[in-house]
């Protein structure tokens, strides 16, 4: 922080922000470059933020003679007229500008209400504070990136953000267990990373339970001393001097001025290479997730790219986060080399193993199969040898078209995946990140930029980001319009009779509409109960054969002994293979509902009985407005609240349906835990056969109970979701009806000008065509 910034903060009465600005390295240049999204993160307190924003705008605009003093009520309680806001528009404002303007208006409204020392308007202040907090929540769009080591994921991500070698591509080997999130830095113009570690208690347990598979992990963390490490000394501070945050179960933050500097610092947390002399310790075994934030990237303002391991992780914290992130992805990228794309069983295996997490158990709407390294031709691609770039270009384009046809054909044959996704969910891209980055660095290339298809992926991310931004803006402006209508309506006089009649009609409408929702949810519950009952019978009759087939594979002896040992140690799963015995045992249950579950809770669109009954829900405020003009403003508020709660309900369904679906496998895992626990006690000669018998005996004793319990658990979660839909809707709208039609206070400040301006913004957004 330089003297200019320090003096300005003092001049503006914001001296207490100096330490924060100093930590962030804000100088005169970066101060003048701060945008609204930077300020939101930099100054969390709303009143301070509003004050700072106002002064910064005046500073950017240059000297002004306008009177910037705040308005105050006169001694009689009358409110002076609102200062006229300039609205010089040569055309429609952008969504971002509208959002920023409305936020500023609402901040001023909040400040004005806080100045009123009247207990009668305290409910409005509390409501506004809650409303602003709710509207400020920004749930990001997640794009999950899967692919085996060497498929070119890092090159792809570097090309997407147009930063050469930002994520390391050649240093050491990739650590498949570390999750890496890449998003825009909206707080300041720096390159930042936040490193989240696994709990130290879990690492201590891993050291205690170490086997031959753990040698690489221990060597990375402890170096040459790894053979002498035991549970007693594994947490000694001398091994963690660079990451004391790990010992405190805290995150480590990195902040750099350049991409190159941050990339160099990140290597030891996301890569492993014992031959690299400059690094003594590699901390990837301790890292759960790394969040990288890059400045000035409009594609990632509301979108996060997540580089994910294909099969979860044996570490509990990493596995839990993996499931949460995978289940939250709206789009999934499967990355594979083009020369392997059509026949790459590994890529399809990754997708198949994750499809229940991203499909019925998740929120994925689109799958992008991304074939990398399209510029690399082999002998089979060339009709004759030639160095002519035009002919090379033509061969690449032909190869890409052929690959796309092969992938689409292969997808149609993936029966397990098709339970969760239809054909129109898949798109295939053939990319060359290397050629794209070369072009960006003005180096000669063999492909045109559009033929690298990186611009097509960037275009998709832009659409995703813009659509998310539009939804946020729409909800914020709609909420602000409704609240200002409520405030202005509460000032109206002689409306008691109309309010009473309207309130009575609204209560009746609400009751009638809730009955429709109840009927639909009851029918849904009954349908799933029937399907699950059949699933229980099929599971009980087939589970012994399923387990026997798994326990006696073609691969026998020592190889399977290690596999089974890992599975019982990890309560039924093996993250490297991947194998999940619990999913195998619950497969008849999930098969019984998969198709119907996708229809009932679709990830894409709202064409399901539950979604449609929520979307068509209406208090009929439009008709009431025509009949009762005296309470039009209150009814406008209720109309906007209806829209807000319906949007919230659709999000609740997307979040909660994951828990409903996953409860089947989770209950089977819980029922099998004692069997796994007993089986992992066996050591030495004959232990493989003993583990087999223990699991078979446990299943035989449990099967008549555990499948019924899994069914009951899912139905209970389903019922909880149905109840939550009705309760949220009823409580929210009842409260809104009471607040709007039982409040009559003429001392509320006049917000007519603010309402008029926000109404213009609201209509502007509403009249824009949906893309």
């Amino acid at each position: 922080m330089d003297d200019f910034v320090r003096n300005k903060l003092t001049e503006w009465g914001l001296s207490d922000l100096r330490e924060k600005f100093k930590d962030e390295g804000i100088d005169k240049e970066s101060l003048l470059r701060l945008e609204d999204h930077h300020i939101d993160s930099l100054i969390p307190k709303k009143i301070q933020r509003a004050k700072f924003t106002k002064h910064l705008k005046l500073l950017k605009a240059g000297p002004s003679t306008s009177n910037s003093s705040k308005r105050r009520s006169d001694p009689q309680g009358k409110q002076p007229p609102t200062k006229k806001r300039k609205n010089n528009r040569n055309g429609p404002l952008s969504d971002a500008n509208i959002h920023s303007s409305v936020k500023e208006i609402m901040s001023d409204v909040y400040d004005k209400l806080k100045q009123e020392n009247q207990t009668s308007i305290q409910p409005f202040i509390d409501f506004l504070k809650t409303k602003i907090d709710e509207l400020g929540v920004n749930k990001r769009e997640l794009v999950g990136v899967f692919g085996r080591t060497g498929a070119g994921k890092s090159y792809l991500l570097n090309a997407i953000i147009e930063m050469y070698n930002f994520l390391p591509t050649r240093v050491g080997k990739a650590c498949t267990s570390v999750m890496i999130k890449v998003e825009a830095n909206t707080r300041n113009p720096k390159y930042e990373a936040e490193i989240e570690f696994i709990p130290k208690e879990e690492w201590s347990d891993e050291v205690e339970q170490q086997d031959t598979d753990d040698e690489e992990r221990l060597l990375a963390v402890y170096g040459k001393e790894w053979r002498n490490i035991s549970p007693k000394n594994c947490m000694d501070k001398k091994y963690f001097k660079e990451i004391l945050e790990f010992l405190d179960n805290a995150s480590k933050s990195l902040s750099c001025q350049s991409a190159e500097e941050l990339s160099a610092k990140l290597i030891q947390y996301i890569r492993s290479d014992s031959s690299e002399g400059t690094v003594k310790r590699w901390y990837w075994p301790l890292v759960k997730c790394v969040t990288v934030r890059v400045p000035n990237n409009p594609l990632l303002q509301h979108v996060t790219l997540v580089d994910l391991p294909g099969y979860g992780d044996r570490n509990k914290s990493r596995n839990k986060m993996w499931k949460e992130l995978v289940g939250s992805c709206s789009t999934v990228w499967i990355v594979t080399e083009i020369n392997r794309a059509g026949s790459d069983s590994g890529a399809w295996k990754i997708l198949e193993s994750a499809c229940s997490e991203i499909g019925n158990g998740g929120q994925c709407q689109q799958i992008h199969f991304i074939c990398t390294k399209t510029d690399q031709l082999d002998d089979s691609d060339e009709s004759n040898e030639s160095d002519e770039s035009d002919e090379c270009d033509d061969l690449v384009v032909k190869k890409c078209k052929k690959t796309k046809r092969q992938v689409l054909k292969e997808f149609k044959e993936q029966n397990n995946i098709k339970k969760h996704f239809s054909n129109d969910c898949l798109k295939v891209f053939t990319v060359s990140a290397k050629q794209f980055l070369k072009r960006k660095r003005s180096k000669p290339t063999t492909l045109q930029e559009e033929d690298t298809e990186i611009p097509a992926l960037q275009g998709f991310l832009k659409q995703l980001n813009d659509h998310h931004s539009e939804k946020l803006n729409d909800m914020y402006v709609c909420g602000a319009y409704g609240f200002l209508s409520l405030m202005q309506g509460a000032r109206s006089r002689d409306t008691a009779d109309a309010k009473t009649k309207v309130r009575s009609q609204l209560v009746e409408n609400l009751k009638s509409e809730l009955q429709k929702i109840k009927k639909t949810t009851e029918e849904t519950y009954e349908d799933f109960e029937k399907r699950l009952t059949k699933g229980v019978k099929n599971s009980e009759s087939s589970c012994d054969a399923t387990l026997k087939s798994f326990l006696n594979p073609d691969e026998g002896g020592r190889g399977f002994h290690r596999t089974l040992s890992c599975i019982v140690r990890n309560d039924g799963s093996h993250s490297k293979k991947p194998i999940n015995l619990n999913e195998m045992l619950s497969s008849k249950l999930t098969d019984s509902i998969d198709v119907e579950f996708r229809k009932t809770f679709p990830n894409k669109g709202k064409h399901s009985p539950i979604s449609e009954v929520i979307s068509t829900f209406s208090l009929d405020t439009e008709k009431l407005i025509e009949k009762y003009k005296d309470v039009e403003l209150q009814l406008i508020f209720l109309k906007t609240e209806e829209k807000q709660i319906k949007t919230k309900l659709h999000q609740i369904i997307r979040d909660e349906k994951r828990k409903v679906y996953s409860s089947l496998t989770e209950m089977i895992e819980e029922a099998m835990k004692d069997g796994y626990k007993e089986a992992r006690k066996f050591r030495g000669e004959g232990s493989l056969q003993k583990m087999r018998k223990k699991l078979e005996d446990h299943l035989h004793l449990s099967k008549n109970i555990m499948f019924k319990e899994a069914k009951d658990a899912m139905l209970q979660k389903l019922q909880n979701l149905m109840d939550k839909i009705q309760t949220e809707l009823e409580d929210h709208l009842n409260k809104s009806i009471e607040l709007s039609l039982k409040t009559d206070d003429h001392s509320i400040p006049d917000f007519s000008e603010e309402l008029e301006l926000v109404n213009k913004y609201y209509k502007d957004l509403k009249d824009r065509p949906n893309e």
Side-chain angles (χ1 to χ4, degrees):
M1 181 175 69
D2 55 21
D3 290 339
F4 178 85
V5 176
R6 186 180 297 104
N7 292 338
K8 283 298 174 187
L9 291 176
T10 303
E11 177 188 328
W12 298 342
L14 297 168
S15 301
D16 53 336
L17 294 177
R18 288 189 301 190
E19 197 64 35
K20 176 69 172 176
F21 276 53
K22 180 180 178 182
D23 292 342
E24 297 292 343
I26 305 294
D27 56 14
K28 180 179 179 180
E29 182 184 355
S30 55
L31 176 72
L32 296 174
R33 288 174 57 194
L34 288 177
E35 301 292 343
D36 288 337
H37 52 269
H38 295 140
I39 298 169
D40 288 348
S41 300
L42 198 59
I43 309 174
K45 293 182 179 179
K46 297 181 181 65
I47 295 176
Q48 273 191 331
R49 185 165 66 238
K51 189 175 181 181
F52 175 84
T53 302
K54 180 179 178 181
H55 283 294
L56 183 61
K57 283 185 177 180
L58 290 172
L59 177 65
K60 288 180 178 180
S64 172
T65 58
S66 64
N67 181 11
S68 61
S69 61
K70 287 194 174 183
R71 292 175 293 144
R72 293 287 186 269
S73 299
D74 66 20
Q76 278 84 36
K78 295 179 182 178
Q79 193 71 31
T82 307
K83 184 174 67 181
K84 191 74 175 174
R85 296 175 189 275
K86 290 185 179 181
N87 191 22
N88 299 326
R89 292 196 281 168
N90 296 321
L93 287 176
S94 69
D95 287 359
N97 286 335
I98 288 178
H99 191 187
S100 176
S101 297
V102 175
K103 282 183 74 174
E104 183 183 349
I105 290 170
M106 295 309 289
S107 180
D108 288 348
V109 169
Y110 184 72
D111 288 348
K112 193 192 293 187
L113 285 174
K114 289 285 285 184
Q115 294 168 17
E116 299 292 327
N117 297 318
Q118 300 179 54
T119 56
S120 61
I121 66 169
Q122 190 59 43
F124 289 97
I125 297 175
D126 295 339
F127 182 80
L128 176 57
K129 186 177 185 303
T130 302
K131 180 65 65 179
I132 289 175
D133 290 342
E134 287 177 353
L135 295 173
V137 174
N138 177 10
K139 186 176 181 181
R140 303 179 67 83
E141 295 281 353
L142 297 188
V143 176
V145 186
F146 294 86
R148 58 197 296 163
T149 303
K153 286 192 295 180
S154 295
Y155 251 124
L156 174 67
L157 295 179
N158 285 338
I160 292 294
I161 61 177
E162 299 187 11
M163 299 177 71
Y164 187 77
N165 260 359
F166 177 56
L167 294 175
T169 56
R170 295 189 181 90
V171 180
K173 64 179 182 180
C175 171
T176 55
S177 63
V178 175
M179 290 163 277
I180 303 174
K181 296 195 285 186
V182 183
E183 57 192 42
N185 186 354
T186 58
R187 299 184 292 194
N188 58 62
K190 291 187 177 182
Y191 295 85
E192 297 183 332
E194 184 177 347
I195 301 162
E196 190 175 350
F197 299 102
I198 64 172
K200 62 181 180 181
E201 296 79 11
E202 289 184 11
W203 175 247
S204 182
D205 291 341
E206 287 185 29
V207 171
E208 186 174 2
Q209 299 170 15
Q210 63 179 285
D211 57 24
T212 53
D213 290 339
D214 290 315
E215 291 181 6
E216 185 183 13
R217 292 168 177 257
L218 296 176
L219 178 62
V221 175
Y222 299 108
K224 296 177 182 178
E225 299 180 46
W226 75 271
R227 295 184 186 277
N228 301 320
I229 295 300
S230 68
K232 291 183 179 179
N233 66 359
C234 70
M235 303 307 294
D236 194 310
K237 280 189 178 181
K238 69 179 182 180
Y239 300 119
F240 307 103
K241 291 178 182 178
E242 293 179 285
I243 52 166
L244 293 175
E245 296 89 347
F246 168 69
L247 297 177
D248 296 330
N249 283 336
S251 298
K252 183 179 182 68
S253 297
L254 303 175
S255 182
C256 304
Q257 296 293 338
S258 70
E260 293 77 12
E261 183 186 357
L262 181 60
S263 180
K265 289 183 177 181
L266 275 178
I267 288 174
Q268 67 185 125
Y269 299 99
I270 60 177
R271 287 289 191 269
S272 175
D273 186 4
S274 56
S275 66
E276 176 63 40
T278 58
V279 180
K280 296 181 180 179
R281 294 280 187 268
W282 299 90
Y283 295 122
W284 60 265
L286 310 176
V287 176
K288 178 162 60 174
C289 180
V290 175
T291 301
V292 178
R293 299 185 180 94
V294 295
N296 306 317
N297 194 305
L299 295 180
L300 303 179
Q301 293 294 318
H302 303 290
V303 176
T304 298
L305 298 172
V306 192
D307 185 350
L308 289 159
Y311 312 123
D313 196 86
R314 72 178 194 178
N315 175 271
K316 292 179 181 178
S317 294
R318 266 197 295 259
N319 197 53
K320 182 181 178 183
M321 176 175 274
W322 182 87
K323 286 187 175 183
E324 289 173 352
L325 288 174
V326 169
S328 300
C329 291
S330 61
T331 304
V332 162
W333 290 357
I334 305 294
V335 183
T336 184
E337 296 177 58
I338 192 167
N339 291 328
R340 303 167 54 94
S343 60
D344 187 1
S345 60
W348 293 111
K349 202 170 185 180
I350 287 174
L351 181 55
E352 184 176 0
S353 69
C355 67
S356 63
E357 302 283 351
I358 65 176
N360 282 344
Q363 301 182 26
C364 182
Q365 300 178 22
Q366 300 184 69
I367 299 170
H368 292 171
F369 209 93
I370 300 176
C371 310
T372 61
K373 306 179 184 178
T374 58
D375 56 313
Q376 296 181 6
L377 295 171
D378 55 31
D379 292 339
S380 63
D381 299 314
E382 300 184 71
S383 55
N384 54 67
E385 292 190 8
S386 173
D387 292 327
E388 295 292 329
S389 62
D390 288 345
E391 185 168 347
C392 180
D393 255 5
D394 190 47
L395 287 170
V396 169
V397 171
K398 286 180 179 179
K399 180 178 182 179
C400 291
K401 289 180 178 178
K402 180 182 177 182
T403 300
K404 289 183 179 183
R405 290 194 298 269
Q406 288 176 334
V407 172
L408 290 169
K409 181 182 177 183
E410 186 69 26
F411 180 74
K412 291 177 182 178
E413 297 172 3
Q414 301 294 321
N415 293 329
N416 289 333
I417 297 172
K418 295 295 291 297
K419 294 176 187 175
H420 300 266
F421 298 99
S422 58
N423 288 335
D424 63 355
C425 291
L426 180 73
K427 289 184 180 178
V428 185
F429 294 84
T430 49
V431 308
S432 175
K434 202 170 187 178
Q435 294 292 315
F436 178 81
L437 287 170
K438 274 187 177 181
R439 278 196 164 271
K440 288 299 176 184
R441 298 168 75 200
S442 301
K443 291 191 174 186
T445 64
T446 59
L447 288 177
Q448 297 299 314
E449 184 170 298
E450 62 270 19
D451 290 333
T452 69
E453 294 207 2
I454 294 296
L457 286 172
Q458 291 177 324
F460 163 75
L461 291 177
K462 184 179 185 304
Q463 284 184 331
L464 191 63
N465 186 81
D466 291 350
H467 180 61
H468 189 83
S469 177
E470 287 167 11
K471 286 195 297 183
L472 287 177
N473 292 341
D474 182 51
M475 294 307 296
Y476 194 94
V477 175
C478 177
Y481 175 49
F483 179 79
L484 290 171
S485 298
L486 168 67
M487 294 291 289
Q488 202 62 20
R491 289 172 49 83
S492 56
R493 300 171 184 270
D494 304 323
T495 58
D497 185 51
K499 284 183 176 179
T500 302
K501 291 177 181 178
V502 168
R503 182 176 175 277
S504 176
Q505 186 62 58
L506 286 168
V507 170
E508 283 299 313
N509 292 351
L510 177 59
K511 189 182 296 183
S512 174
E513 293 294 285
L514 286 172
Q515 281 300 316
K516 295 178 186 177
I517 291 177
K518 184 179 180 182
K519 182 176 181 293
T520 302
T521 56
E522 286 176 349
E523 289 171 354
T524 300
Y525 181 94
E526 290 170 6
D527 186 33
F528 277 104
E529 185 175 30
K530 290 176 184 176
R531 293 173 185 277
L532 284 169
T533 299
K534 292 180 181 178
V536 168
K537 290 180 180 178
N538 291 336
S539 298
E540 290 174 348
S541 62
S542 65
C543 63
D544 289 321
T546 300
L547 180 61
K548 186 175 182 180
S549 174
F550 167 73
L551 292 175
N552 298 277
D554 294 334
E555 115 182 79
R558 188 173 179 182
F560 183 68
H561 186 281
R562 291 185 65 181
T563 297
L564 188 58
S565 296
C566 179
I567 284 170
V568 298
R569 189 170 66 243
N570 293 292
D571 289 335
S573 65
H574 192 308
S575 60
K576 290 183 179 180
K577 291 288 184 180
I579 297 170
N580 191 317
L581 182 53
N582 305 309
E583 286 186 359
M584 293 180 194
L585 294 174
S586 63
S587 61
K588 297 296 182 184
L589 280 174
T590 53
D591 286 349
S592 71
I593 62 164
D594 271 338
V595 174
E596 191 61 29
F597 198 92
R598 195 176 93 191
K599 291 178 182 177
T600 306
F601 301 109
N603 289 341
K604 198 172 184 178
K606 297 175 182 177
H607 305 296
S608 74
I610 293 177
S611 293
E612 286 179 5
V613 77
I614 291 173
S615 297
T616 57
F617 175 97
S618 175
L619 291 175
D620 224 357
T621 51
E622 290 287 355
K623 285 187 178 179
L624 290 171
I625 287 173
E626 293 176 10
K627 189 175 181 180
Y628 298 99
K629 287 291 183 181
D630 290 344
V631 290
E632 179 179 6
L633 290 173
Q634 289 90 333
L635 288 168
I636 287 173
F637 162 71
L638 289 172
K639 182 181 176 182
T640 61
E641 285 300 290
E642 184 183 304
K643 180 179 179 180
Q644 300 267 328
I645 187 59
K646 288 199 285 189
T647 300
K648 181 180 178 181
L649 287 178
H650 287 305
Q651 185 58 54
I652 286 173
I653 290 172
R654 282 193 291 271
D655 292 338
E656 295 297 317
K657 67 109 171 177
R658 294 160 49 191
K659 300 174 185 176
V660 175
Y661 185 81
S662 62
S663 63
L664 291 174
T665 301
E666 288 173 357
M667 285 301 295
I668 298 303
E669 179 181 339
E670 189 63 33
M672 290 295 294
K673 269 188 178 178
D674 286 343
Y676 297 137
K677 185 177 180 181
E678 291 299 314
R680 58 178 170 254
K681 292 179 180 178
F682 297 118
R683 296 282 191 277
E685 188 177 349
S687 58
L688 175 58
Q689 191 55 36
K690 291 175 182 176
M691 284 191 287
R692 282 173 171 152
K693 189 171 188 313
K694 173 53 67 178
L695 292 177
E696 288 174 338
D697 290 347
H698 182 82
L699 178 63
H700 185 72
L701 291 171
S702 306
K703 67 179 182 179
N704 291 330
I705 301 172
M706 70 180 196
F707 295 112
K708 290 187 181 71
E709 288 182 341
K711 168 196 148 186
D712 292 342
M714 178 181 166
L715 289 174
Q716 184 59 58
K717 287 187 181 293
L718 181 63
Q719 186 62 58
N720 292 345
L721 173 56
M722 303 307 182
D723 292 343
K724 187 171 186 177
I725 291 170
Q726 294 185 73
T727 302
E728 287 278 344
L729 192 54
E730 185 174 12
D731 289 353
H732 184 95
L733 291 180
N734 270 328
K735 181 180 178 181
S736 299
I737 290 170
E738 292 297 305
L739 186 64
S740 60
L741 297 172
K742 277 199 168 184
T743 305
D744 199 6
D745 195 328
H746 313 307
S747 64
I748 292 173
D750 181 9
F751 293 113
S752 56
E753 183 186 330
E754 287 86 346
L755 175 59
E756 181 183 358
L757 187 53
V758 171
N759 186 18
K760 288 180 182 178
Y761 291 140
Y762 176 72
K763 288 181 177 178
D764 191 353
L765 289 175
K766 190 178 178 182
D767 292 342
R768 294 183 185 184
N770 290 323
E771 296 182 7

